[in-house]
């Protein structure tokens, strides 16, 4: 009879889990290519790990449930379950009228797909019936079409304790830093312009050259 | 975001094991499991909850009880369906715990036949005792009416409106769809009903009063109905629910008529196509009774006599609007809300 030591069992479990995470990362790249484009493999692995930890808070531990939860995270945002504007989703995950957490998740997934179908049909109808109004309404639909939309969660609250926080990919963080730097530069330039404008009028003999960097 | 993309990802997810966890490196022998379960045939029950127009109703709480005092709890999906799997053959009790007994009925029970076999195992929970409350007075806030509150608390609207405790309100307001903020409506105690059902059955139930009719009439300035005008109507409900837009034409009376859920709060109507298209938006349930100034102003605004904000402020603009209305319908032009003016206003507005 084959006997395994505890260390051997743990090693097998660890290897199995690593393989399962890798499969999930591959699933992300196949079905949600835009959303994970900026993540390196290591970053995506950590992101998926954080997602699984979050799913565990809702007692979702089976492989199928983890994939469902991951799909929703990629579709609606990594912090969809704490986003105030998506509180209806969290209501499903915590609905005590349903016994099984898996069943709650399944109902949520069905509801999401149904909602999206209805919203798509409605958009098509409005586009055909009233193109001008349809164009105005485009902005109200949640768009997470690319990973740069995941800079930070929208309107999130800390509803779960001790949750491993999501982080940006290095590429996304650099993009955000660059955007912040540009904004600071522009604001500084505006202040300089105001100061320069004052000194310009103070000294009529030597007007200053005003320059802006945008 | 695309429904197709999520659906495809979900198909892939559904192929994963529902029994293994992410940390399981070992699984039970499938041969051993199948041998054990060979003689233990489990059955299932399928429940469908329909509205007045045979539409499936989502998020209706359903409870299945067995004689031993245990129960299974679930809610219906978007198609109004829910299943109870892994049941022993026998009789059970079905209950809709959030609905009053008079607000739902059993439509039909049919055998599932071959589809009745289930491979799952039911995980029974201890029975929750049915909570009997005593009823309470609800203070109406803007936008509420009997239909909305009946839907919220699980009643058929007429059953709430016809209660003896609401007699004074009935005599004062007459219509249950037009109440004023601050009105007191008695919500009766919820009486829960149990239905006997059998395993391997499909049960269809009807939730009564789950649909209301929205009726908006469009008139030209000379009161001529605007007939056969194409429209697109978009309804928003509370809880940010997504509802299907409807496209149609105004009828012979110039009316837009569409079934809506009682929890609908906002409607947008795109009237006509092309460069002359009009966009009309309505807050549902916000018109106050006609004996209030805000109610008169709302009606005049809707009929094209602009009063400005629909509040309790009797300003010059409101007086001018009342006079214009009285002139139009050959009433005594007083600028006051006399009984004759209110009578005609109610007739022209429709409520």
């Amino acid at each position: 009879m084959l006997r395994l030591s505890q260390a051997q069992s743990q090693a097998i479990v660890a290897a199995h889990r690593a393989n399962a995470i890798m499969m999930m990362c591959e699933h992300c790249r196949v079905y949600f290519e835009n959303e994970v484009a900026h993540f390196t493999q290591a970053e995506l692995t950590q992101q998926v790990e954080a997602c699984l930890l979050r799913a565990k808070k809702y007692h979702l531990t089976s492989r199928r449930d983890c994939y469902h939860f991951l799909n929703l995270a990629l579709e609606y945002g990594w912090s969809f379950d704490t986003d105030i504007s998506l509180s209806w989703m969290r209501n499903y995950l915590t609905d005590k009228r349903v016994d099984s957490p898996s069943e709650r998740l399944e109902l949520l997934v069905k509801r999401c797909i149904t909602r999206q179908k209805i919203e798509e049909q409605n958009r098509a109808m409005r586009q055909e019936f009233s193109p001008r109004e349809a164009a105005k309404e485009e902005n109200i639909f949640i768009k997470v079409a690319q990973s740069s939309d995941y800079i930070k969660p929208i309107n999130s609250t800390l509803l779960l304790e001790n949750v491993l926080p999501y982080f940006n990919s290095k590429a996304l963080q650099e993009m955000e830093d660059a955007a912040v730097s540009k904004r600071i530069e522009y604001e500084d330039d505006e202040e300089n312009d105001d100061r320069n404008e004052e000194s310009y009028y103070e000294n009529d003999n030597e007007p200053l050259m005003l320059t802006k960097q945008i | 975001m695309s429904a197709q993309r999520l659906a495809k990802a979900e198909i892939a997810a559904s192929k994963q094991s529902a029994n293994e966890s992410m940390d399981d490196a070992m699984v039970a022998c499938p041969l051993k499991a199948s041998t054990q379960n060979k003689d233990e045939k489990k059955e299932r029950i399928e429940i469908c909850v329909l509205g007045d127009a045979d539409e499936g109703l989502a998020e209706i709480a359903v409870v299945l009880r067995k004689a031993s005092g245990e129960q299974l709890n679930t809610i219906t999906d978007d198609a109004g369906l829910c299943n109870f799997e892994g049941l022993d053959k026998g009789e059970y009790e079905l209950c809709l715990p959030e609905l009053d007994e008079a607000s739902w009925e059993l439509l039909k029970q049919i055998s599932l036949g071959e589809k009745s076999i289930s491979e799952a195992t039911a995980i029974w929970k201890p029975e929750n005792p049915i909570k009997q409350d005593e009823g309470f007075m609800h203070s109406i806030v803007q936008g509420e009416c009997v239909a909305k509150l009946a839907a919220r608390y699980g009643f058929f609207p007429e059953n709430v409106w016809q209660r003896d405790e609401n007699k004074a309100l009935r005599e004062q307001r007459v219509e249950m769809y037009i109440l004023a903020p601050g009105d007191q409506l008695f919500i009766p105690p919820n009486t829960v009903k149990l239905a006997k059902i059998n395993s391997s059955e499909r049960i269809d139930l009807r939730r009564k009063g789950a649909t209301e009719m929205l009726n908006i009439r469009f008139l030209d300035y000379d009161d001529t109905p605007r007939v056969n005008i194409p429209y697109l109507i978009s309804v928003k409900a509370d809880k940010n629910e997504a509802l299907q837009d409807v496209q149609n034409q105004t009828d012979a009376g110039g009316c837009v008529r569409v079934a809506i859920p009682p929890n609908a709060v906002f409607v947008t109507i795109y009237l006509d196509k092309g460069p002359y298209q009009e966009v009309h938006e309505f807050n549902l349930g916000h018109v106050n009774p006609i004996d209030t100034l805000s109610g008169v102003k709302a009606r005049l605004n809707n009929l094209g006599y602009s009063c400005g904000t629909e509040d309790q402020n009797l300003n010059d603009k409101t007086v001018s609007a009342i006079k214009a209305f009285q002139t139009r319908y050959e009433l005594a032009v007083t600028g006051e809300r006399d009984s004759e003016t209110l009578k005609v206003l109610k007739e022209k507005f429709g409520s």
Side-chain angles (χ1 to χ4, degrees):
Chain A
M1 189 167 98
L2 178 67
R3 286 178 185 270
L4 292 173
S5 69
Q6 192 169 359
Q8 285 171 324
S9 294
Q10 286 174 352
I12 291 172
V13 167
H16 180 82
R17 184 180 171 84
N19 187 53
I21 299 286
M22 191 182 69
M23 301 283 285
M24 292 185 97
C25 292
E26 188 57 32
H27 174 90
C28 297
R29 296 215 186 271
V30 168
Y31 293 100
F32 300 93
E33 185 182 349
N34 287 341
E35 281 75 3
V36 299
H38 284 86
F39 289 97
T40 64
Q41 186 59 26
E43 287 168 344
L44 184 57
T45 300
Q46 287 193 343
Q47 200 80 327
V48 169
E49 289 269 17
C51 187
L52 294 182
L53 195 65
R54 216 176 182 91
K56 204 171 179 181
K57 291 286 181 181
Y58 298 102
H59 308 289
L60 301 167
T61 53
S62 76
R63 292 188 71 154
R64 187 182 294 178
D65 287 344
C66 290
Y67 269 81
H68 283 318
F69 195 90
L70 181 65
N71 284 342
L72 293 178
L74 286 156
E75 186 74 11
Y76 290 92
W78 292 106
S79 298
F80 75 93
D81 57 317
T82 56
D83 193 330
I84 294 175
S85 61
L86 298 173
S87 60
W88 61 272
M89 295 182 77
R90 186 167 187 274
N91 290 343
Y92 266 88
L93 293 173
T94 54
D95 194 340
K96 296 294 182 205
R97 298 175 300 170
V98 183
D99 288 336
S100 157
S102 295
E103 199 180 338
R104 290 176 204 152
L105 182 62
E106 201 179 315
L107 284 164
L108 173 58
V109 167
K110 278 187 191 175
R111 171 51 70 108
C112 289
I113 292 176
T114 304
R115 278 177 70 112
Q116 285 187 359
K117 279 183 187 163
I118 290 174
E119 283 165 7
E120 277 181 13
Q121 286 165 2
N122 288 349
R123 267 203 294 276
M125 285 175 76
R126 283 176 217 165
Q127 185 63 36
E128 190 262 330
F129 197 91
S130 179
R132 186 183 57 197
E133 295 297 325
K136 285 183 199 171
E137 287 178 12
E138 273 298 300
N139 291 332
I140 70 171
F141 293 108
I142 298 166
K143 284 185 177 177
V144 285
Q146 47 197 353
S147 53
S148 55
D149 289 337
Y150 290 162
I151 295 277
K152 49 175 68 83
I154 305 166
N155 298 326
S156 70
T157 58
L158 286 173
L159 295 175
L160 296 174
E161 294 178 0
N162 301 323
V163 174
L164 186 67
Y166 288 116
F167 62 94
N168 298 326
S169 73
K170 187 161 177 286
L172 282 179
Q173 193 64 53
E174 285 170 356
M175 281 169 62
E176 187 185 5
D177 290 344
V180 169
S181 299
K182 278 185 184 171
R183 195 163 57 243
I184 291 173
E185 273 180 25
Y186 184 74
E187 286 168 1
D188 285 346
D189 285 340
E190 279 198 329
E191 285 178 14
N192 284 337
D193 287 344
D194 291 341
R195 283 199 291 274
N196 288 341
E197 200 170 324
E198 288 172 9
S199 60
Y200 180 89
Y201 289 105
E202 281 172 8
N203 188 346
D204 290 336
N205 296 326
E206 293 180 9
L208 296 171
M209 296 299 293
L210 303 177
T211 57
K212 282 189 180 180
Q213 290 180 355
I214 299 176
Chain B
M1 174 181 308
S2 155
Q4 285 183 353
R5 181 179 74 166
L6 182 60
K8 281 179 186 170
E10 283 302 314
I11 290 171
S14 299
K15 292 176 182 171
Q16 301 297 323
S17 168
N19 299 318
E20 291 175 43
S21 79
M22 294 296 292
D23 296 324
D24 281 342
M26 286 164 267
V27 297
C29 173
L31 289 176
K32 188 179 178 186
S34 66
T35 305
Q36 278 181 341
N37 292 337
K38 200 175 178 183
D39 299 322
E40 297 175 6
K41 281 187 183 173
K42 297 291 185 183
E43 297 184 341
R44 56 191 280 267
I45 291 174
E46 189 175 290
I47 311 287
C48 182
V49 182
L50 303 170
D52 296 315
D54 287 342
E55 76 282 19
L57 297 180
E59 295 193 44
I60 303 290
V62 182
V63 172
L64 189 74
R65 292 187 169 170
K66 62 180 182 180
S68 63
E70 293 172 300
Q71 67 185 48
L72 296 172
N73 308 283
T74 190
I75 60 174
T76 53
D77 63 16
D78 284 312
L81 291 168
C82 66
N83 292 295
F84 294 102
E85 304 273 352
L87 307 174
D88 293 324
K89 188 178 176 63
E91 194 178 73
Y92 295 88
E93 283 182 333
L94 176 71
C95 160
L96 303 185
E98 294 177 342
L99 300 184
D100 181 61
E101 61 178 351
S103 66
W104 67 276
E105 60 183 357
L106 205 63
L107 285 181
K108 58 182 175 183
Q109 292 174 259
I110 54 175
S111 173
L112 285 171
E114 290 174 357
K115 293 181 188 175
S116 67
I117 296 174
S118 169
E119 294 181 356
T121 305
I123 302 174
W124 293 88
K125 304 280 181 183
E127 183 177 306
N128 273 342
I130 296 173
K131 194 176 161 186
Q132 295 282 353
D133 54 43
E134 295 177 355
F136 59 96
M137 295 300 284
H138 176 93
S139 184
I140 299 293
V141 300
Q142 191 71 55
E144 288 181 342
C145 64
V146 174
K148 277 189 182 162
L149 294 171
R152 186 185 305 169
Y153 294 111
F155 291 94
F156 185 60
E158 276 295 330
N159 290 356
V160 175
W161 188 234
Q162 296 301 330
R163 291 284 301 198
D164 290 340
E165 292 89 339
N166 291 321
K167 185 180 175 189
L169 184 64
R170 246 185 352 260
E171 287 170 356
Q172 183 188 9
R173 297 298 180 209
V174 181
E175 292 189 42
M176 65 173 174
Y177 294 103
I178 303 181
L179 302 178
D183 283 350
Q184 298 294 314
L185 180 74
F186 179 71
I187 306 296
N190 192 321
T191 309
V192 176
K193 179 168 68 180
L194 297 171
K196 301 269 187 209
I197 60 174
N198 297 305
S199 56
S200 74
E201 279 187 342
R202 150 91 180 218
I203 318 292
D204 282 5
L205 309 170
R206 168 98 63 211
R207 162 64 165 116
K208 296 189 281 187
T211 308
E212 295 292 332
M213 284 305 293
L214 177 68
N215 197 356
I216 300 178
R217 185 176 51 175
F218 288 91
L219 306 170
D220 280 327
Y221 80 98
D222 58 354
D223 288 355
T224 309
R226 299 174 68 182
V227 178
N228 294 334
I229 308 289
Y231 68 81
L232 176 72
I233 183 167
S234 175
V235 181
K236 297 271 187 299
D238 59 14
K239 299 181 189 176
N240 200 22
E241 200 176 321
L243 298 172
Q244 182 72 52
D245 289 355
V246 174
Q247 201 167 334
N248 207 332
Q249 286 186 325
T250 54
D251 62 16
C255 290
V256 167
R257 286 176 60 84
V258 65
I260 58 172
N263 64 340
V265 294
F266 189 78
V267 157
T268 305
I269 297 178
Y270 304 89
L271 196 67
D272 213 346
K273 291 184 177 182
Y276 302 110
Q277 184 177 80
E278 301 161 22
V279 180
H280 300 270
E281 295 179 333
F282 304 92
N283 285 314
L284 299 180
H286 281 245
V287 172
N288 288 334
I290 199 165
D291 59 353
T292 63
L293 179 56
S294 57
V296 169
K297 291 172 88 168
R299 287 167 175 77
L300 287 171
N301 274 337
N302 277 320
L303 291 172
Y305 301 91
S306 177
C307 301
T309 310
E310 291 157 14
D311 54 16
Q312 298 292 90
N313 182 23
L314 183 64
N315 52 21
D316 291 341
K317 196 171 184 181
T318 306
V319 172
S320 299
I322 294 172
K323 284 183 177 175
F325 179 82
Q326 289 167 331
T327 304
R328 172 73 178 83
Y329 294 105
E330 298 173 354
L331 300 166
V333 181
T334 59
E336 292 176 3
R337 294 172 289 150
D338 50 68
S339 57
E340 193 58 32
T341 302
L342 293 182
K343 181 182 164 191
V344 174
L345 180 59
K346 188 173 179 179
E347 179 197 325
K348 295 299 175 188
F349 184 71
S351 63

